Amino acid sequence: DKVLTELIEPYELRAAKLREFLEDVKPSLCYDIVPLVDPYGPSVTDPDLQCLVVSEETRRGGEAVNKKRLENGLLELALYEILLMKDPNHSQNEEEKISSSSLRQRLLGTLLRPPRQDPALPSRPYVIGLTGGTGSGKTSIAKLLGHLGAFLIDADKLGHAVYVPGGPAYEQVVAAFGAEILNEDGTINRKVLGAKVFGKQEQLKSLTDIVWPEMARMVKEQIREADAQG
């Protein structure tokens, strides 16, 4: 349930940064960084441990550790509570404390790495695909890119265009699913068609096998048009 889990750094990199920080603070100490495979780690099995550093947020976790230690026949640890560092520059949508979640949010909109040069790809036009669930912001991002000069291809609109009478998939869809999917004016009733394919893998595949190739062809036509416009 972490914010932007896709941008969480690998464990090895996080551990290396932690070691660098600790050794910078006090290089004379010996640091043993242990990967945790459960909520407790060695804190509930190591008899040599004496103290556990916690924050206000993690004190309950420290208390749970001590409860587990007592169950295991070990002495309780001294819980030493430290204050969390506040971030004076945090935004309204970020946590008040200094946190990796806020740092990941600030990466949004930045380039994580240079675009990969692939000799097999043409240098232009540069095609960006926007995808995501309902309410994820596709329309807003598309408008922003449009204001910057991008040529917009709306796949939803193309999806409607292939179904209209005279459209590239109209005849095939009617032939495959019958005249009962038609309205009185001859247009395809998308609700009726949707009911025919909803939850039916074979029917849905029959529909997508007709519609998607036509949509792909229309997209390629529009990409060529964008290229012609520069």
Side-chain angles (χ1 to χ4, degrees):
D1 59 352
K2 285 287 186 182
V3 174
L4 298 170
T5 53
E6 300 85 354
L7 296 180
I8 292 177
E9 292 176 328
Y11 166 79
E12 292 76 12
L13 180 58
R14 289 166 70 92
K17 287 183 175 180
L18 176 61
R19 182 177 295 280
E20 182 182 8
F21 168 75
L22 293 171
E23 290 176 347
D24 186 46
V25 171
K26 194 160 187 177
S28 61
L29 286 180
C30 176
Y31 299 102
D32 187 14
I33 299 176
V34 182
L36 299 184
V37 294
D38 62 66
Y40 298 103
S43 65
V44 295
T45 57
D46 189 340
D48 295 328
L49 292 180
Q50 297 177 338
C51 174
L52 189 63
V53 179
V54 297
S55 68
E56 184 181 351
E57 286 184 345
T58 60
R59 171 169 275 281
R60 286 179 61 189
E63 292 168 353
V65 163
N66 274 338
K67 182 180 177 184
K68 203 79 172 174
R69 283 180 70 87
L70 290 174
E71 291 174 4
N72 291 341
L74 299 174
L75 294 175
E76 285 187 318
L77 300 176
L79 299 182
Y80 181 78
E81 186 174 318
I82 58 170
L83 297 175
L84 290 170
M85 291 284 287
K86 298 291 194 294
D87 182 356
N89 300 313
H90 75 280
S91 72
Q92 187 177 356
N93 297 322
E94 294 175 347
E95 296 180 278
E96 186 181 11
K97 66 178 181 180
I98 292 177
S99 89
S100 56
S101 295
S102 297
L103 295 177
R104 287 195 298 277
Q105 283 184 309
R106 291 170 195 172
L107 287 173
L108 286 176
T110 64
L111 200 61
L112 295 180
R113 62 181 68 87
R116 178 172 52 86
Q117 298 300 317
D118 187 342
L121 294 174
S123 59
R124 55 180 290 240
Y126 198 86
V127 182
I128 300 170
L130 282 178
T131 183
T134 303
S136 60
K138 298 186 297 294
T139 302
S140 299
I141 297 298
K143 284 180 180 176
L144 287 171
L145 290 171
H147 290 321
L148 293 171
F151 183 101
L152 299 181
I153 301 172
D154 190 328
D156 283 340
K157 289 180 180 177
L158 295 184
H160 287 282
V162 296
Y163 288 104
V164 299
Y170 178 83
E171 297 290 347
Q172 294 181 72
V173 171
V174 174
F177 294 94
E180 63 265 26
I181 67 170
L182 296 177
N183 294 311
E184 290 182 5
D185 60 1
T187 58
I188 291 175
N189 187 317
R190 292 168 65 89
K191 284 187 177 179
V192 174
L193 178 60
K196 278 180 169 283
V197 300
F198 183 76
K200 302 167 186 171
Q201 287 297 320
E202 286 188 19
Q203 294 281 74
L204 181 61
K205 187 176 186 307
S206 297
L207 180 62
T208 56
D209 284 350
I210 296 169
V211 172
W212 285 357
E214 294 298 338
M215 286 180 63
R217 185 181 56 77
M218 295 168 78
V219 167
K220 288 174 183 174
E221 283 180 6
Q222 293 208 7
I223 290 173
R224 285 194 290 270
E225 183 183 336
D227 192 19
Q229 291 183 18

